[in-house]
Amino acid sequence: MPLRRGANGGWQRISRAQVRREEAIAEAVRRTLELDSTPEYANDNAARKGTNAMNAQNPEGVYSDWASEGMRRVRADQVARRMRHLTTMAALGGFLFGYDTGVISGAMLMIRREFVLTPWQQEVVVSSTVLSAFFSSIAGGSLNRVWGRRPCILLAAAVFTVGSLVLGGAWSYRTLVLGRIIVGVGIGLASLTTPMYIAEMAAPTFRGQLVTINALLVTIGQFVAGMVDGVFHGLLPETGWRYMLGLATLPSMIMFLGFLALPESPRWLAMNHRQEDATKVLQQYRET
């Protein structure tokens, strides 16, 4: 008869029928986790149901090593998927930062001809974003402390979207400046909040790597902005600037919709005496 290590550390004999029963239960757990049609954040419920089923068949809580390892791998895979989704959504803030600060350089070549801007007006259009980002990043510290990380990121994504739409449909110099100021508010909030959110959600062993992705997306956004400028300069030499500035609505809307399904930072929850909610978030995004 097969042998396995018991709960007390000793070896015990088990029947082949028991081995087959445990194998069937483990396979059922695996299939349940793979075929579960609910959002991936609800997969923990399926895992708990599978564990309860195994406990019912094995009241002593003794599992074979391979079954325990399989459950651990399923758990690690769930956490990895969630962190990839979270990091991608949060890093879009860095991408928008790079894109909106870089795209204006190519768009200005067309804008100054259409609106007959003076050098001073061109400087105001470009620098108004940086100025508003400066003030919004200062205010962002208080907003993050009072509202939390998630609401601030949602606000930043919404502001990015509105600002990009205003810029894409601008009809005057003043409208351009207004759109650039709105975009700057989003840049200030996102540049402050997204790396902080990633750092507070990530496990210590991967925290530095994941936060670096946000900085990497800033430079990628600037690169994409240059490519978009070049494409629309060739395709639409007169009105291409509207598409250059308006295209930022796509990643900002994706960021907004993606964050609707993400939780608040566990650190902020704990700081606001919501330890139970913080524990639930950590259980979803940490392996241990």
Side-chain angles (χ1 to χ4, degrees):
M1 297 179 67
L3 296 175
R4 71 175 175 192
R5 191 176 296 277
N8 58 0
W11 292 94
Q12 63 181 23
R13 295 182 181 275
I14 58 173
S15 65
R16 296 188 182 278
Q18 176 71 6
V19 173
R20 288 193 296 270
R21 184 163 58 251
E22 290 187 3
E23 290 176 348
I25 293 171
E27 178 66 16
V29 172
R30 186 185 65 81
R31 290 178 179 271
T32 300
L33 292 173
E34 290 180 350
L35 301 178
D36 193 347
S37 60
T38 59
E40 63 180 24
Y41 303 109
N43 279 350
D44 283 342
N45 294 329
R48 283 192 292 271
K49 291 177 182 177
T51 302
N52 292 336
M54 295 181 73
N55 283 331
Q57 294 293 331
N58 196 349
E60 296 181 358
V62 180
Y63 308 106
S64 57
D65 292 340
W66 59 266
S68 298
E69 178 65 16
M71 294 298 293
R72 188 195 67 78
R73 290 183 179 180
V74 169
R75 168 72 176 165
D77 184 61
Q78 291 174 348
V79 171
R81 287 201 306 270
R82 292 168 187 166
M83 284 307 304
R84 282 196 296 268
H85 172 71
L86 181 149
T87 305
T88 301
M89 291 299 105
L92 282 176
F95 176 85
L96 287 167
F97 182 4
Y99 184 87
D100 281 314
T101 54
V103 74
I104 192 63
S105 60
M108 184 55 67
L109 300 175
M110 302 179 185
I111 292 173
R112 68 183 182 185
R113 291 198 303 266
E114 180 163 342
F115 294 107
V116 194
L117 300 181
T118 65
W120 167 254
Q121 290 174 324
Q122 295 177 47
E123 293 173 3
V124 171
V125 170
V126 174
S127 60
S128 56
T129 294
V130 181
L131 183 63
S132 62
F134 170 76
F135 287 109
S136 66
S137 63
I138 294 176
S142 299
L143 293 178
N144 271 276
R145 184 173 60 255
V146 176
W147 292 354
R149 315 327 183 204
R150 180 175 175 270
C152 286
I153 294 177
L154 287 171
L155 176 61
V159 169
F160 268 126
T161 303
V162 173
S164 299
L165 290 174
V166 171
L167 287 171
W171 60 88
S172 66
Y173 163 70
R174 292 183 178 180
T175 313
L176 278 172
V177 175
L178 175 63
R180 292 287 291 170
I181 291 174
I182 295 174
V183 165
V185 173
I187 289 175
L189 279 175
S191 61
L192 170 72
T193 310
T194 52
M196 179 166 52
Y197 180 79
I198 295 173
E200 292 177 354
M201 293 293 294
T205 51
F206 302 105
R207 187 169 295 152
Q209 300 174 27
L210 296 181
V211 173
T212 302
I213 293 176
N214 183 74
L216 175 64
L217 264 291
V218 174
T219 58
I220 292 177
Q222 292 172 337
F223 172 77
V224 171
M227 298 297 292
V228 169
D229 286 347
V231 169
F232 282 106
H233 264 289
L235 294 178
L236 300 169
E238 298 298 327
T239 60
W241 65 270
R242 296 187 181 275
Y243 297 94
M244 298 176 191
L245 301 177
L247 277 177
T249 57
L250 295 179
S252 61
M253 290 178 65
I254 293 173
M255 181 180 175
F256 182 87
L257 295 175
F259 259 90
L260 291 177
L262 292 175
E264 179 55 79
S265 160
R267 186 173 187 272
W268 185 87
L269 292 172
M271 289 171 57
N272 286 269
H273 311 291
R274 295 170 57 181
Q275 278 75 13
E276 184 176 348
D277 293 333
T279 300
K280 291 179 180 178
V281 174
L282 289 174
Q283 288 174 344
Q284 289 182 340
Y285 288 86
R286 303 287 176 88
E287 292 186 32
T288 56

